């Protein structure tokens, strides 16, 4: 059927499909969350409710899109790795970025009140989203290492900064000044000597971020029940729901292994995480 005389404008829409056979990383980040976290009284340096809400939205996204095989979150951002061979929306960039960003955002708003019980949303939050393509496994390893190293650097700084303000009585300007030019070791030292905080004992969730992976659910062991012969003869066969006759059938086994999404706070810089999950990089 011919379209209207206006339909030619469609030709101005350019294809934007992403190079096949490359790894796709989708990252989103809260828009102006410095302000958003102030207005909603986030605890500093880390508001656990806000982090759990981010994890929840990320989990919702992974439930909806099976092609996302890994998620990593810190602060107001989340990165997702899609299967190298994904054909999601024919790899159309704008379609993927917009639908994923939109679902994450709506999930964040949808679940807000379950985490912030006494803090109503003051205005609708938003997230930006982007996709970066990487040609090889090493870049994917380095990408996630980069984000987790960033989590560590930011969290060490923020932990020291807010200890100086909240426990040390410094103004934010003074705290910035105290920390200016300090290396990691000195921040550890300030935390330990002045505030008795051993940074290595700070919650892993804050130091390492959130890692979302799919984990196989182990099948429950099949119960070995021995039925006495005389009883067995009296048990009627189980009919298939679609069958009207009384044909004796064996229960079917679900050949597809069931998985669930789990949130870990583990190291993803070293080899161990990747060696335990070879599929992440070979799919
Ligand atoms: P942009 O729009 O450029 O991303 P932004 O204000 O969101 O600007 P970010 O660099 O993304 O800047 O930093 C996010 C800020 O949000 C952090 O610096 C921190 O102040 C705040 N924030 C995010 N999550 C939390 C949390 N769980 N607990 C406390 N503060 C948080
Ligand atoms: P895609 O994800 O590709 O956009 P879609 O199902 O959203 O798929 P659209 O071409 O965007 O397809 O069409 C939106 C459909 O949503 C319409 O065909 C109609 O069935 C339904 N719809 C949207 N708004 C209304 C409305 N206000 N009242 C009734 N139906 C609506
Ligand atoms: Mg932000
Ligand atoms: Mg950010």
């Amino acid at each position: 059927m011919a379209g209207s005389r206006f339909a030619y404008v469609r030709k101005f829409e350019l294809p934007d499909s992403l190079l096949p056979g490359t790894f796709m990383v989708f990252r989103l980040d809260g828009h102006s969350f410095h302000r958003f976290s102030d207005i909603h009284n986030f605890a500093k340096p880390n508001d656990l409710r806000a982090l759990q809400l981010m994890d929840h939205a990320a989990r919702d996204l992974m439930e909806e899109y099976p092609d996302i095989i890994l998620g990593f979150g810190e602060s107001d951002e989340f990165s997702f790795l899609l299967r190298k061979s994904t054909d999601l929306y024919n790899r159309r960039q704008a379609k993927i970025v917009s639908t994923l960003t939109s679902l994450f955002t709506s999930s964040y708003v949808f679940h807000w009140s379950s985490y912030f019980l006494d803090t109503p949303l003051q205005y609708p939050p938003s997230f930006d989203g982007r996709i970066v393509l990487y040609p090889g496994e090493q870049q994917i390893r380095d990408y996630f290492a980069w984000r987790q190293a960033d989590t560590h650097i930011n969290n060490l700084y923020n932990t020291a900064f807010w200890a100086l303000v909240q426990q040390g009585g410094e103004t934010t300007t003074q705290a910035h000044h105290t920390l200016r030019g300090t290396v990691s070791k000195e921040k550890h030292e300030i935390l330990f000597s002045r505030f008795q905080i051993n940074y290595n004992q700070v919650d892993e969730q804050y130091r390492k971020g959130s890692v979302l992976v799919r984990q196989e659910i182990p099948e429950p062991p099949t119960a070995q029940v021995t039925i006495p012969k005389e009883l067995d003869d009296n048990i009627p066969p189980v009919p298939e729901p679609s069958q009207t006759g009384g044909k004796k059938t064996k229960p079917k086994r679900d050949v597809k292994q069931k998985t669930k999404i789990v949130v870990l706070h583990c190291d993803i810089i070293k080899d161990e995480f990747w060696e335990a999950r070879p599929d992440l990089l070979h799919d």
Side-chain angles (χ1 to χ4, degrees):
M1 192 175 67
S4 71
R5 69 187 171 87
F6 308 117
Y8 78 95
V9 295
R10 188 82 205 259
K11 293 190 183 137
F12 286 72
E13 292 182 17
L14 299 176
D16 66 344
S17 66
L18 293 157
L19 203 66
T22 48
F23 291 102
M24 219 186 261
V25 171
F26 166 66
R27 179 170 80 247
L28 45 75
D29 183 287
H31 172 65
S32 290
F33 260 46
H34 192 76
R35 171 168 175 258
F36 182 81
S37 62
D38 274 350
I39 288 181
H40 294 90
N41 296 318
F42 280 20
K44 295 292 179 179
N46 289 296
D47 190 297
L48 184 59
R49 302 165 299 175
L51 293 174
Q52 287 173 339
L53 176 56
M54 290 288 290
D55 291 350
H56 194 141
R59 184 196 292 266
D60 278 357
L61 200 65
M62 288 178 72
E63 300 274 7
E64 184 65 24
Y65 292 96
D67 280 0
I68 301 176
I69 49 180
L70 171 66
F72 176 76
E74 56 153 325
S75 180
D76 66 340
E77 70 166 65
F78 242 99
S79 299
F80 298 95
L81 174 64
L82 284 94
R83 288 193 313 120
K84 193 178 177 184
S85 56
T86 184
D87 203 25
L88 180 63
Y89 301 134
N90 292 322
R91 295 178 79 93
R92 286 158 55 203
Q93 175 156 223
K95 181 90 179 181
I96 301 173
V97 171
S98 57
T99 48
L100 268 56
T101 309
S102 160
L103 179 59
F104 187 97
T105 308
S106 67
S107 171
Y108 188 94
V109 171
F110 190 73
H111 297 295
W112 172 269
S113 59
S114 308
Y115 293 88
F116 287 84
L117 304 179
D118 307 317
T119 313
L121 259 181
Q122 300 293 318
Y123 65 89
S126 57
F127 290 81
D128 69 52
R130 75 196 65 182
I131 282 179
V132 184
L133 293 182
Y134 292 100
E137 294 168 19
Q138 191 58 51
Q139 290 98 0
I140 292 298
R141 287 272 316 256
D142 290 346
Y143 174 84
F144 283 96
W146 171 53
R147 295 327 299 144
Q148 191 165 57
D150 186 77
T151 308
H152 165 70
I153 292 165
N154 289 340
N155 190 58
L156 177 58
Y157 185 92
N158 290 337
T159 306
F161 178 86
W162 287 104
L164 288 166
V165 173
Q166 292 165 348
Q167 289 155 258
E170 294 192 9
T171 64
T172 51
T173 314
Q174 284 169 330
H176 276 303
H177 185 76
T178 306
L179 293 176
R180 190 167 300 140
T182 55
V183 295
S184 167
K185 196 166 168 250
E186 291 163 316
K187 294 188 190 74
H188 279 268
E189 192 54 35
I190 290 173
L191 280 170
F192 195 68
S193 61
R194 290 183 58 181
F195 308 109
Q196 292 75 53
I197 297 172
N198 180 346
Y199 182 75
N200 295 325
Q201 281 169 9
V202 167
D203 202 322
E204 288 215 301
Q205 175 157 9
Y206 305 144
R207 288 186 290 122
K208 297 208 159 59
S210 294
V211 180
L212 273 67
V213 284
R214 298 178 193 280
Q215 213 165 67
E216 286 182 355
I217 303 169
E219 281 196 36
T222 327
Q224 297 283 320
V225 184
T226 316
I227 305 170
K229 175 83 177 73
E230 59 280 15
L231 264 181
D232 193 27
D233 287 343
N234 291 327
I235 297 174
V238 184
E240 287 257 300
S242 59
Q243 288 174 335
T244 44
K247 210 172 115 202
K248 202 169 187 173
T249 55
K250 281 189 181 162
K252 279 186 186 158
R253 235 171 207 285
D254 189 1
V255 282
K256 218 174 160 192
Q257 183 79 43
K258 288 207 169 67
T259 60
K260 62 175 177 180
I261 296 159
V262 291
V263 182
L264 312 171
H265 307 294
C266 63
D267 182 286
I268 55 171
I269 297 178
K270 297 195 194 95
D271 294 338
E272 192 187 335
F273 173 83
W274 300 92
E275 282 171 359
R277 298 168 183 80
D279 290 355
L280 290 179
L281 296 173
H282 300 128
D283 198 17

